[in-house]
């Protein structure tokens, strides 16, 4: 049996205005899908549209997935969809040693990477066909936590538990997550600041793959999860061998 085709499909990508989500949007548009990129910033969505060349099959929607009414409105306005993807993560201020962690920053991580996905599934599942899918984004921190990463590690692990539970509850809709390793995206501006490049280069020397990831690597993995009809409840690790070192 061949994979599930994407041409003519309707895909919602939350977090699609930058990084991994933007790379995925570009790939799916090239394959003939209709794509809605959603996020909190109207300006960043507009910039993403320009980057994607104002594609005729591209739409945008301003949404804060931590707000239930926003998520309900997203799917009320989108109508039926074939696939839902979330790469959204608000980790600004969360990478701190325990004495310096502010609860508000930790709560934003939980809202963007756990409550948000929960709401996307709650309101999005009813808009999906039986062959549809929902794909979330976890991360290697759940397996290789470092100092300052306790909140992100814990939330990633919680999200993966949610994926397994939803795969059972929402079957035959497929629920999966991709778990990236260190990927060169704008999120590292919050994690490492001015030391971003040096930090990524040091990790590249440690990884069996010999490099850190690029957004396109993760887009490829999500495309697989969308298109493989026999994969559900799965965490797909795309991390250059990080869990081995």
């Amino acid at each position: 049996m061949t994979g599930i085709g994407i041409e003519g499909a309707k895909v919602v990508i939350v977090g699609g205005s930058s990084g991994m989500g933007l790379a995925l949007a570009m790939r799916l548009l090239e394959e003939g899908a209709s794509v809605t990129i959603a996020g909190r910033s109207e300006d960043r969505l507009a910039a993403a549209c320009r980057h994607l060349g104002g594609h005729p099959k591209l739409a945008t929607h301003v949404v804060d997935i931590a707000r239930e009414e926003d998520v309900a409105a997203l799917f009320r306005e989108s109508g039926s969809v074939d696939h839902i993807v979330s790469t959204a993560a608000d980790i600004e201020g969360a990478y701190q040693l325990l004495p310096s962690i502010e609860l508000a920053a930790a709560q934003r991580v939980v809202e963007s990477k756990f409550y948000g996905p929960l709401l996307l599934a709650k309101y999005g599942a009813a808009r999906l066909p039986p062959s549809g899918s929902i794909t979330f984004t976890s991360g290697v921190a759940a397996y290789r936590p470092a100092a300052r990463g306790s909140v992100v590690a814990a939330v990633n692990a919680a999200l993966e538990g949610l994926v397994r539970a939803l795969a059972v509850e929402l079957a035959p809709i497929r629920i999966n997550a991709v778990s990236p390793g260190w990927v060169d995206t704008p999120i590292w501006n919050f994690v490492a600041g001015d030391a971003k490049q040096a930090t990524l280069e040091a990790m590249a020397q440690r990884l069996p793959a010999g490099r850190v990831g690029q957004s396109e690597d993760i887009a490829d993995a999500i495309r697989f999860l969308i298109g493989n009809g026999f994969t559900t409840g799965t965490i797909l690790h795309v991390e250059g061998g990080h869990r081995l070192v």
Side-chain angles (χ1 to χ4, degrees):
M1 181 177 178
T2 58
I4 296 171
I6 202 68
E7 185 175 2
K10 188 174 181 180
V11 185
V12 173
I13 306 174
V14 178
S17 63
S18 66
M20 298 177 287
L22 183 60
L24 178 64
M26 179 176 292
R27 172 161 183 172
L28 297 183
L29 288 167
E30 290 173 349
E31 292 188 48
S34 295
V35 176
T36 297
I37 55 173
R40 292 181 301 178
S41 170
E42 188 171 358
D43 289 342
R44 291 201 307 193
L45 290 171
C49 282
R50 292 191 294 272
H51 179 78
L52 295 169
H55 198 287
K57 289 189 174 183
L58 176 66
T60 64
H61 190 105
V62 177
V63 63
D64 181 349
I65 59 171
R67 295 170 56 87
E68 187 163 8
E69 58 270 30
D70 278 19
V71 178
L74 169 64
F75 291 108
R76 189 167 57 245
E77 295 175 22
S78 70
S80 62
V81 298
D82 295 290
H83 304 284
I84 300 165
V85 177
S86 179
T87 62
D90 186 351
I91 66 167
E92 186 173 3
Y95 271 94
Q96 299 289 339
L97 294 174
L98 190 60
S100 301
I101 290 175
E102 295 185 1
L103 186 58
Q107 287 172 331
R108 287 193 296 271
V109 181
V110 176
E111 288 171 349
S112 64
K113 297 207 69 177
F114 185 82
Y115 290 143
L118 182 68
L119 290 171
L120 289 172
K122 176 180 178 179
Y123 288 96
R127 303 292 185 175
L128 291 167
S131 60
S133 72
I134 305 176
T135 306
F136 298 129
T137 308
S138 175
V140 73
Y143 302 84
R144 288 290 183 270
R148 302 196 305 136
S150 57
V151 172
V152 174
V155 175
N156 282 341
L159 176 63
E160 294 185 5
L162 179 66
V163 164
R164 290 185 284 270
L166 291 179
V168 174
E169 180 174 341
L170 298 178
I173 295 169
R174 295 171 296 110
I175 316 295
N176 296 291
V178 64
S179 178
W182 286 31
V183 179
D184 188 356
T185 67
I187 205 167
W188 277 95
N189 296 328
F190 300 124
V191 176
D194 293 340
K196 171 184 173 179
Q197 200 58 42
T199 301
L200 293 178
E201 288 174 358
M203 176 55 74
Q205 294 176 12
R206 291 180 52 201
L207 292 176
R211 66 176 178 88
V212 297
Q214 299 297 319
S215 295
E216 292 75 14
D217 296 317
I218 311 308
D220 285 345
I222 297 173
R223 177 63 182 88
F224 166 80
L225 292 173
I226 289 174
N228 189 285
F230 200 54
T231 303
T232 192
T234 290
I235 311 302
L236 179 56
H237 298 278
V238 189
E239 31 78 308
H242 193 156
R243 289 177 299 147
L244 305 177
V245 298

